[in-house]
Amino acid sequence: MMETILNHRSIRKYTSEKVSSEVLEEILNAGIRASTTGNMQVYSVVVTQDDSNKEKLAPCHFNQPMIKGAPVVLTFCADYNRFNKWCEQSNAKPGYDNFLSFVTGAIDALLVAQNVCIAAESKGLGICYLGTTTYTADKIIDVLNLPKGVVPVTTVTLGYPDESPELVDRLPLEGVVHYESYKDYSKEDIKKIYSEKEQLPENIGFVKENKKESLAQVFTDIRYKKQDNIVFSKILLDVLTKQGFMNNEE
Amino acid sequence: MMETILNHRSIRKYTSEKVSSEVLEEILNAGIRASTTGNMQVYSVVVTQDDSNKEKLAPCHFNQPMIKGAPVVLTFCADYNRFNKWCEQSNAKPGYDNFLSFVTGAIDALLVAQNVCIAAESKGLGICYLGTTTYTADKIIDVLNLPKGVVPVTTVTLGYPDESPELVDRLPLEGVVHYESYKDYSKEDIKKIYSEKEQLPENIGFVKENKKESLAQVFTDIRYKKQDNIVFSKILLDVLTKQGFMNNEE
């Protein structure tokens, strides 16, 4: 159990072995045991297994090979559509077309996702999260036919591992945990927290290859650029409006 | 492992037994093994154990008794403050003061939170999520002294269980999972998906006690009201602005 969590690696290459519907169902059933706000379960999971649909999803994830390479792609969505329909059918007036409700649904969806991932790994499967989901939510909505009230939040690819990567580095625990109140970081603290990461041979390699001065520049100038973040922020806020989550006035 | 996940109950009453620093550290170390966007780890965890600080946090969580009753309270935050400081110190210009970055940090924080919860449960601890975190993020920021770039996303109370509640109902799996594309719900579908929940004796009880016509009305009129959601939406959006996550223009 602890071992499953401690041994997590993102798996990006999968064997051709299918995931049986029994195993998939078992994993999804573990997913829905996650805590959920007021037991509302304001999320949905869309399972993609057909090659033609993976083909359509691939560009939404910048054609990262995991989408077509994995037997199963899971898209986790904040979903008030089902709950709203239930309310309306029950002579109850839902008031969930606002930003807080989106966040509530997103939290629900993410706890389910992580449950699914740990359950999958405990059964010998490998998983990879795709952060691209929030960048191209508009396109994913079209591909998966998501109605108003539904916003995709994250995507996980799933399959039997065909690689066994090394454990990835993490910042020292004291770098991310604060006791009693947030202790802001001094220059010295930052230096210490990031020094191991900066000195990893692969990271030194990234800096050189990209002709940058520092590892941080690889993030700001290449991997996670301001101009991209602004474009994606606008798309995501537009998606929230379009899907009915930005009616924040009486 | 699977068993831990399948047996999850929210625990709201704890024994007086402390959580040792060894156990706490082990659980937090399991937390940081969760997937994180680009291995940026854009989150922080604030640990509250002092009674005086729990006292200050309690009203942020509407005085739910778990805050003062649990030996440990964990507040999981989206955190770009540390990452931004590292960038600036490394002659790199961070572009993470936008909405997408908040969502990225929130996703990171939530995956860590769920890892922590499962790890805790596997060690015999009980946990409870507090959704109130996003309602009163402004107050929590003050109490925990969170700087710009940091937004609390969820809170978990932690301790040894002093109750053993029944497993809570969930909607049938087919009610929340869609294959290949989202199949919107017919009236008949909704009726079927929610019928078991509506027929649970405790839910029939809630409807009667509250003099409502339907279980859905208990949600819309009492537990999760539109007017509250609107107030909290505004607070949360203001928090995002104040914490530096709403600069979505070039």
Side-chain angles (χ1 to χ4, degrees):
Chain A
M1 159 68 245
M2 261 323 220
E3 222 181 287
T4 301
I5 293 181
L6 294 174
N7 283 325
H8 163 69
R9 280 102 161 131
S10 294
I11 297 296
R12 296 179 172 82
K13 284 187 73 184
Y14 305 94
T15 69
S16 58
E17 190 179 346
K18 298 271 170 238
V19 179
S20 73
S21 56
E22 290 74 26
V23 167
L24 184 58
E25 209 165 293
E26 207 182 334
I27 291 167
L28 292 169
N29 263 317
I32 66 168
R33 296 314 313 170
S35 291
T36 152
T37 312
N39 202 14
M40 290 189 287
Q41 292 185 259
V42 278
Y43 58 79
S44 273
V45 188
V46 185
V47 181
T48 307
Q49 292 176 301
D50 284 359
D51 285 342
S52 64
N53 289 325
K54 286 183 205 161
E55 198 85 43
K56 289 179 206 158
L57 272 182
C60 304
H61 298 289
F62 303 168
N63 294 305
Q64 291 178 89
M66 297 85 89
I67 294 286
K68 290 198 219 171
V72 181
V73 179
L74 302 173
T75 307
F76 295 87
C77 308
D79 185 349
Y80 270 92
N81 169 57
R82 181 179 56 245
F83 198 78
N84 288 342
K85 284 198 153 78
W86 176 57
C87 290
E88 281 155 8
Q89 242 169 267
S90 310
N91 202 24
K93 219 177 149 191
Y96 310 118
D97 56 349
N98 38 58
F99 182 62
L100 184 88
S101 299
F102 162 68
V103 172
T104 301
I107 292 174
D108 264 25
L110 289 158
L111 302 188
V112 173
Q114 188 62 1
N115 256 22
V116 164
C117 288
I118 296 176
E121 290 177 333
S122 83
K123 302 200 84 62
L125 288 153
I127 67 98
C128 188
Y129 275 94
L130 297 175
T132 32
T133 312
T134 49
Y135 307 173
T136 61
D138 56 332
K139 294 192 179 70
I140 295 171
I141 284 168
D142 288 344
V143 171
L144 300 180
N145 203 22
L146 305 180
K148 206 166 171 170
V150 185
V151 174
V153 175
T154 196
T155 301
V156 169
T157 54
L158 198 71
Y160 292 95
D162 197 23
E163 61 174 354
S164 57
E166 292 292 311
L167 205 62
V168 168
D169 70 286
R170 289 290 186 264
L171 300 176
L173 190 62
E174 61 271 26
V176 300
V177 175
H178 303 256
Y179 284 87
E180 298 309 326
S181 76
Y182 194 101
K183 307 289 180 309
D184 208 349
Y185 303 91
S186 69
K187 280 204 165 183
E188 228 17 77
D189 294 335
I190 294 289
K191 214 171 150 181
K192 204 172 144 199
I193 291 167
Y194 288 91
S195 70
E196 194 189 320
K197 182 186 279 287
E198 287 174 329
Q199 282 156 34
L200 291 174
E202 64 264 37
N203 284 339
I204 292 173
F206 283 140
V207 176
K208 272 194 191 155
E209 277 166 40
N210 291 296
K211 294 176 180 157
K212 291 290 160 193
E213 291 167 35
S214 64
L215 181 61
Q217 288 184 355
V218 176
F219 284 94
T220 57
D221 301 357
I222 295 161
R223 297 189 64 193
Y224 300 96
K225 287 185 284 189
K226 179 173 183 155
Q227 53 266 50
D228 295 339
N229 288 337
I230 284 176
V231 170
F232 298 143
S233 291
K234 282 182 188 160
I235 292 174
L236 187 53
L237 285 165
D238 283 349
V239 162
L240 295 189
T241 302
K242 197 184 130 208
Q243 296 305 86
F245 284 113
M246 287 305 257
N247 301 304
N248 301 315
E249 304 292 332
E250 283 294 348
Chain B
M1 159 67 245
M2 261 323 220
E3 224 182 284
T4 300
I5 293 181
L6 294 175
N7 283 324
H8 163 68
R9 280 103 162 131
S10 293
I11 297 297
R12 295 180 172 83
K13 283 186 72 184
Y14 306 93
T15 68
S16 58
E17 190 179 345
K18 299 270 169 239
V19 179
S20 72
S21 57
E22 291 72 27
V23 167
L24 184 58
E25 209 165 292
E26 206 182 334
I27 290 167
L28 292 169
N29 263 317
I32 67 169
R33 295 316 312 170
S35 292
T36 152
T37 312
N39 200 16
M40 290 188 287
Q41 291 185 259
V42 278
Y43 58 80
S44 273
V45 189
V46 185
V47 180
T48 307
Q49 293 176 299
D50 285 0
D51 284 341
S52 65
N53 289 325
K54 285 182 204 160
E55 198 87 42
K56 289 180 204 156
L57 272 181
C60 305
H61 298 289
F62 303 169
N63 294 305
Q64 290 178 88
M66 298 85 91
I67 294 286
K68 289 198 219 169
V72 182
V73 179
L74 301 173
T75 307
F76 294 88
C77 308
D79 185 349
Y80 269 91
N81 169 56
R82 181 179 56 244
F83 197 79
N84 288 343
K85 283 199 156 74
W86 176 57
C87 289
E88 281 155 10
Q89 242 168 270
S90 309
N91 203 23
K93 220 179 146 187
Y96 310 117
D97 56 349
N98 39 59
F99 182 63
L100 184 88
S101 299
F102 163 69
V103 172
T104 300
I107 292 174
D108 264 25
L110 289 158
L111 303 188
V112 173
Q114 188 61 0
N115 257 23
V116 164
C117 288
I118 296 175
E121 289 177 332
S122 82
K123 302 199 83 64
L125 288 154
I127 66 100
C128 188
Y129 274 96
L130 298 176
T132 32
T133 313
T134 48
Y135 307 173
T136 61
D138 55 334
K139 294 191 180 69
I140 295 171
I141 284 168
D142 288 343
V143 171
L144 300 180
N145 203 23
L146 305 179
K148 205 166 171 169
V150 185
V151 174
V153 175
T154 196
T155 300
V156 170
T157 55
L158 199 70
Y160 292 95
D162 197 24
E163 61 173 355
S164 59
E166 292 292 310
L167 204 63
V168 167
D169 70 286
R170 287 290 186 263
L171 301 175
L173 191 61
E174 60 271 26
V176 299
V177 174
H178 302 256
Y179 284 88
E180 297 310 326
S181 75
Y182 194 101
K183 306 289 180 310
D184 209 347
Y185 302 92
S186 69
K187 280 204 166 185
E188 228 16 78
D189 294 335
I190 294 290
K191 215 171 149 179
K192 204 171 143 198
I193 291 167
Y194 287 92
S195 70
E196 195 189 318
K197 181 185 281 288
E198 287 173 331
Q199 282 157 33
L200 290 174
E202 66 265 37
N203 284 339
I204 291 173
F206 283 141
V207 176
K208 271 193 191 156
E209 276 166 41
N210 291 295
K211 295 178 178 153
K212 291 289 160 192
E213 291 167 34
S214 65
L215 181 62
Q217 287 183 353
V218 177
F219 284 94
T220 56
D221 301 357
I222 295 162
R223 296 189 63 193
Y224 299 96
K225 289 186 282 189
K226 181 173 182 154
Q227 53 266 51
D228 295 340
N229 288 337
I230 284 176
V231 170
F232 299 142
S233 291
K234 281 181 188 161
I235 292 173
L236 187 54
L237 285 165
D238 283 348
V239 162
L240 295 189
T241 301
K242 197 185 129 209
Q243 297 304 88
F245 284 113
M246 288 303 258
N247 301 303
N248 302 313
E249 304 291 331
E250 283 295 347

